[in-house]
Amino acid sequence: MKSRFTRIKEKIVDISVSDKQSIRDVLRKIDKGALGVALLMDSKTGIFKGLVTDGDVRRALIKGMDLDSPVSDIERPKTITASVTASSEEISRLFGEAVRVIPLLDGGRRVTDLAFFDTRVYLPVSEPNLGEKELKYVSECVLTGWVSSAGKYVTQFEQMFAEFCGTRYGISSSSGTTALHLALLSLGIGPGDEVIVPSFTFISTANAVVFTGATPVFVDSDIQTWNISAHEIEKAVTVRTKAIIPVHIYGHPADMAPILDIADRYNLAVVEDAAEAHGALYKGKKTGSLGDMGIFSFYGNKTITTGEGGMLVTDNKELADKARILRDHGMDPENRYHHSVLGYNYRMTNIQAALGVAQMERIDQIVQQKCTNAVFYNDALGEIPGITLPPQAEWAKNIYWLYSILIDEKSFGMSAGRLAAMLKIKSIETRPLFLPVHQQPIYDTKQHLPVCEYLSSSGLSLPSSVNIDINEIGRIAWEIKNIRKKN
Ligand SMILES: Cc1ncc(COP(=O)(O)O)c(C=O)c1O
């Protein structure tokens, strides 16, 4: 567990008072340290006796003590301390709503360091989790000169990712969008064809269809999973329909069995858009491995990242071969610089793949941490009236790419937009849920798709990076409760 508390040893002298000093002295120290607390020490031994907070002083003055009264007369609750040898994880667990400063003591109970949890720290919705390995592998690319798409990391990343998904082939690409485009092109989709997509998705699901010359057909979501509704898909099938792109939105799998059944009955291809669902499971199988092809994104806000990047996975050798050729200018793999089809340069670089390999070495840990953080969130937000927690079907493993909730304006007392604005003031970033694609200015189909319109207007994604911990989730939940109460 990564922690965001800071050690501020240098503040110890600024905020220390002896038990012989007065309330006036304590107030001066509290003022100087700007932490809202002073450290009370035994005047003879220097042993730590406890924290005095500005609240303790205020209550003492209200009770009738004056500024010259000795500080030792102030009533104080028991102070939470930790050993200076405690791990960051142990210290992190001690912070709470009212505990922001923890004195770290040596064996002789002297304060040797201070742990400070700064509630003003900005919490972004997403943030990559990069470490030493990423730096090492990328440096190696730079130092050896293997910076373009030739290089060992590209193949290694493709193999690792395909294995992770349980598929035979992995074809890396420059983005999730280009992976989608390649998938549709490999399936032969083009002008005159229709492809069924959810309206509740990121724009590129639809754009990739348009890139091929085909037409995206927008379908509403299922309120249980927020994903494309199989019932609505069946109503949208026409003689022109060639494929369905179910999207596993925010990391929760779409209900694939009825979708695959429709695809089977109408002879349609299925491309899973798993851009947001690395490691999510549908009935025990990895998302991306259930349709004819699956695609992933490694943009910087995704569960694992290569900066920009994408991957196409499939068990079908013919489709994999086609995608590789299209990705590389349509070049004949047996005959260099001979081009028999119109291709693209959609390749991933060795530098991107180096990041990807480092991220793959701990993808299970990253996914696990996202799920653990979702449990913390569910515990902290579950009882608040007006909040609907993210979907979790019993047949699915949601990986909570973005931990997203719905706000019922009536029972919560304000709209999702208003809550977002108030959290922003508290340095907590949120993100509205996707504006349905059928309502986007470039598509604007004038359809009325009630479920996805409702999701979009009432949903909010909260900070979801694996870099946040239980204390920060506690802080976010506390602010949400407070905002609701004060409203
Ligand atoms: C559902 C969905 N599909 C496709 C993409 C496209 O991926 P990229 O941004 O890597 O092109 C994204 C994300 O960004 C996405 O969220």
Side-chain angles (χ1 to χ4, degrees), residues 173-408:
S173 66
S174 53
S175 70
T177 308
T178 56
L180 261 176
H181 190 197
L182 286 174
L184 296 171
L185 289 170
S186 309
L187 287 161
I189 285 161
D193 296 337
E194 287 175 0
V195 177
I196 296 176
V197 299
S199 183
F200 190 59
T201 182
F202 182 58
I203 195 89
S204 53
T205 314
N207 287 355
V209 176
V210 176
F211 297 163
T212 66
T215 305
V217 175
F218 303 112
V219 156
D220 207 355
S221 290
D222 162 18
I223 191 65
Q224 301 305 326
T225 66
W226 304 3
N227 282 309
I228 194 165
S229 149
H231 180 68
E232 297 300 318
I233 292 178
E234 186 137 23
K235 291 201 282 186
V237 174
T238 71
V239 287
R240 290 170 181 258
T241 311
K242 286 287 168 354
I244 309 167
I245 310 184
V247 178
H248 306 299
I249 204 80
Y250 296 116
H252 189 289
D255 190 2
M256 291 299 292
I259 297 173
L260 293 170
D261 175 57
I262 295 169
D264 210 33
R265 283 190 281 118
Y266 293 94
N267 193 26
L268 310 175
V270 174
V271 177
E272 293 174 75
D273 182 340
E276 305 174 358
H278 315 65
L281 298 176
Y282 176 74
K283 298 187 178 172
K285 280 192 83 181
K286 289 266 169 68
T287 50
S289 70
L290 298 135
D292 297 285
M293 301 183 107
I295 74 94
F296 292 84
S297 164
F298 306 115
Y299 179 63
N301 67 5
K302 294 300 185 294
T303 300
I304 64 162
T305 184
T306 59
E308 295 280 355
M311 186 77 74
L312 213 163
V313 294
T314 183
D315 280 334
N316 184 318
K317 183 168 185 325
E318 198 188 323
L319 291 175
D321 289 345
K322 276 191 186 160
R324 282 186 202 286
I325 291 169
L326 289 164
R327 176 185 67 171
D328 190 17
H329 301 285
M331 195 180 332
D332 184 340
E334 310 299 328
N335 203 355
R336 289 186 75 204
Y337 300 105
H338 282 247
H339 307 263
S340 46
V341 290
L342 180 69
Y344 302 80
N345 179 356
Y346 281 172
R347 297 174 308 226
M348 175 178 272
T349 69
N350 201 42
I351 298 180
Q352 289 169 302
L355 277 177
V357 168
Q359 295 265 281
M360 282 309 290
E361 288 177 5
R362 56 203 172 83
I363 190 168
D364 291 330
Q365 199 188 322
I366 292 173
V367 168
Q368 179 55 44
Q369 187 64 50
K370 285 186 91 69
C371 295
T372 303
N373 281 356
V375 173
F376 294 150
Y377 261 130
N378 286 346
D379 284 350
L381 301 175
E383 302 297 312
I384 306 178
I387 291 188
T388 303
L389 301 180
Q392 178 57 77
E394 89 273 359
W395 40 258
K397 177 180 172 182
N398 186 354
I399 57 117
Y400 302 92
W401 167 57
L402 293 184
Y403 183 91
S404 306
I405 55 174
L406 304 179
I407 302 294
D408 179 69

Side-chain angles (χ1 to χ4, degrees), residues 30-147:
I30 291 177
D31 194 42
K32 186 162 188 208
L35 296 172
V37 296
L39 303 165
L40 184 60
M41 314 292 192
D42 185 291
S43 57
K44 289 202 193 90
T45 60
I47 286 174
F48 178 64
K49 295 187 76 174
L51 276 182
V52 188
T53 68
D54 44 9
D56 298 334
V57 175
R58 197 170 52 244
R59 282 181 286 276
L61 293 174
I62 290 169
K63 274 190 177 166
M65 288 173 70
D66 63 43
L67 288 176
D68 295 316
S69 309
V71 59
S72 50
D73 285 359
I74 295 179
E75 257 182 60
R76 294 171 282 108
K78 197 172 175 302
T79 303
I80 292 175
T81 61
S83 162
V84 73
T85 57
S87 67
S88 294
E89 282 86 345
E90 286 165 333
I91 297 169
S92 277
R93 283 193 201 103
L94 298 174
F95 289 102
E97 279 169 26
V99 181
R100 302 296 181 200
V101 178
I102 296 178
L104 305 180
L105 309 182
D106 66 11
R109 291 199 59 78
R110 282 182 186 76
V111 180
T112 52
D113 210 341
L114 287 176
F116 175 54
F117 182 64
D118 189 349
T119 56
R120 292 161 306 178
V121 168
Y122 177 71
L123 292 175
V125 167
S126 44
E127 178 177 61
N129 180 287
L130 304 170
E132 293 294 319
K133 278 282 181 71
E134 283 79 357
L135 191 60
K136 181 169 175 242
Y137 297 166
V138 168
S139 304
E140 188 194 309
C141 298
V142 174
L143 293 171
T144 57
W146 289 96
V147 291

